[in-house]
Amino acid sequence: MNKRVLKKLLFFIIIALMVGCFVYAEPALPIPNIDLNVKAAESPQEVALSLQILFILTILSLAPSILIMLTSFTRIVIVLSFTRSALGTQQMPSNQILIGLALFLTIFIMTPVFTEINDTAIKPFMEEQISQEEAIESAMKPIRNFMFKYTREKDMALFLKLGQLDSTVSLDDIPTRALIPAFIISELKTAFQIGFFLYIPFLIIDMVVASTLMSMGMMMLPPVMISMPFKILLFVMVDGWNLIVRSLILGF
């Protein structure tokens, strides 16, 4: 019996030594040591580099707002939302589908602007032909031209007046801080106008269905339940998505 116990003890000791060797052995792949230190800048060049990094991080954080507010995305997503509401299909198509469609339509419409920015600002800056300030100014010109094209004079005059700016200046002298909100409210008005005209045919269907149900004495049956299939049928027969997307693209 003592021999058996002794053998078991020796067996466990050997296992423990083997595990210890594996634990304390040097790993085959060394683990990298990452160290991030924050220290005071020792030269003006380091200060300028830190400011550039901070500026880039700020631009990246504002990129979604820039994409939404300075492009055709606002008008497109509002019109698509009006279309879904007019059909009365609740959450079909879903928000993800509408936003994805609006995003790709925005890329399709804004491709000439993005191409001009790449040719006049990004490429020369990457090749060190122009400075960072010149690259930012060159990148803003195509975007400003796009916004000026679809901004109403009344909206532009509103922000020039509120900002106490001269309304007789040229387009190049109009500050971007006044151009952006004027462009946004112009796009909102245009989108709501399109949405109003989208509602008219579907509203007529709702009125006809409601009048028919009332004349038949079916007061307890919701008219929306009957009119929705007819609205969907009408929308499919006229190829509604094709017409709406075509109108949105030609509007730009």
Side-chain angles (χ1 to χ4, degrees):
M1 184 69 181
N2 293 333
K3 292 183 179 180
R4 292 182 180 179
V5 174
L6 183 61
K7 289 181 180 180
K8 290 182 179 180
L9 289 175
L10 290 175
F11 176 75
F12 286 125
I13 292 173
I14 294 173
I15 295 297
L17 291 175
M18 293 176 63
V19 172
C21 292
F22 284 122
V23 170
Y24 292 102
E26 184 179 358
L29 296 177
I31 300 176
N33 184 18
I34 300 175
D35 188 13
L36 298 177
N37 295 322
V38 179
K39 59 181 181 179
E42 299 179 354
S43 63
Q45 290 78 10
E46 293 183 359
V47 176
L49 180 60
S50 301
L51 293 177
Q52 290 179 359
I53 295 175
L54 180 62
F55 176 76
I56 293 174
L57 293 177
T58 303
I59 294 297
L60 291 177
S61 63
L62 296 177
S65 299
I66 294 174
L67 175 63
I68 293 174
M69 296 302 177
L70 306 188
T71 62
S72 59
F73 183 86
T74 302
R75 183 193 304 186
I76 295 173
V77 74
I78 292 177
V79 171
L80 294 179
S81 299
F82 268 120
T83 303
R84 183 178 64 182
S85 299
L87 286 171
T89 55
Q90 302 299 326
Q91 295 297 322
M92 190 61 63
S94 62
N95 292 331
Q96 291 83 354
I97 295 176
L98 291 184
I99 294 175
L101 178 60
L103 180 61
F104 281 103
L105 289 178
T106 301
I107 296 174
F108 180 81
I109 293 171
M110 299 297 296
T111 295
V113 178
F114 295 153
T115 302
E116 185 176 354
I117 293 174
N118 183 55
D119 295 337
T120 60
I122 298 179
K123 283 185 178 180
F125 178 71
M126 297 300 293
E127 296 174 358
E128 298 183 355
Q129 298 178 359
I130 59 176
S131 62
Q132 181 177 342
E133 292 77 11
E134 293 174 342
I136 296 175
E137 183 178 357
S138 300
M140 285 302 300
K141 285 182 180 180
I143 299 178
R144 283 172 57 89
N145 293 335
F146 175 83
M147 290 191 291
F148 274 125
K149 189 176 180 180
Y150 302 103
T151 302
R152 303 174 188 271
E153 295 182 1
K154 182 179 180 180
D155 298 330
M156 191 74 258
L158 171 64
F159 287 96
L160 291 178
K161 181 180 179 180
L162 294 178
Q164 298 180 354
L165 303 171
D166 187 6
S167 59
T168 60
V169 297
S170 62
L171 296 181
D172 295 334
D173 296 330
I174 295 178
T176 305
R177 61 185 174 89
L179 174 59
I180 293 177
F183 169 75
I184 293 173
I185 63 175
S186 297
E187 287 293 285
L188 289 175
K189 182 177 181 179
T190 303
F192 273 73
Q193 288 176 343
I194 299 174
F196 170 76
F197 288 107
L198 283 173
Y199 259 95
I200 293 178
F202 301 110
L203 181 61
I204 294 175
I205 295 177
D206 287 332
M207 294 175 62
V208 171
V209 171
S211 301
T212 303
L213 292 177
M214 290 181 63
S215 63
M216 296 175 61
M218 304 175 66
M219 304 295 296
M220 301 302 294
L221 184 62
V224 178
M225 185 180 299
I226 305 300
S227 62
M228 189 188 338
F230 289 100
K231 290 190 288 187
I232 295 175
L233 178 62
L234 173 64
F235 193 73
V236 172
M237 289 180 61
V238 300
D239 200 1
W241 291 114
N242 183 282
L243 292 176
I244 291 174
V245 171
R246 182 175 181 273
S247 300
L248 286 172
I249 294 176
L250 293 179
F252 290 99

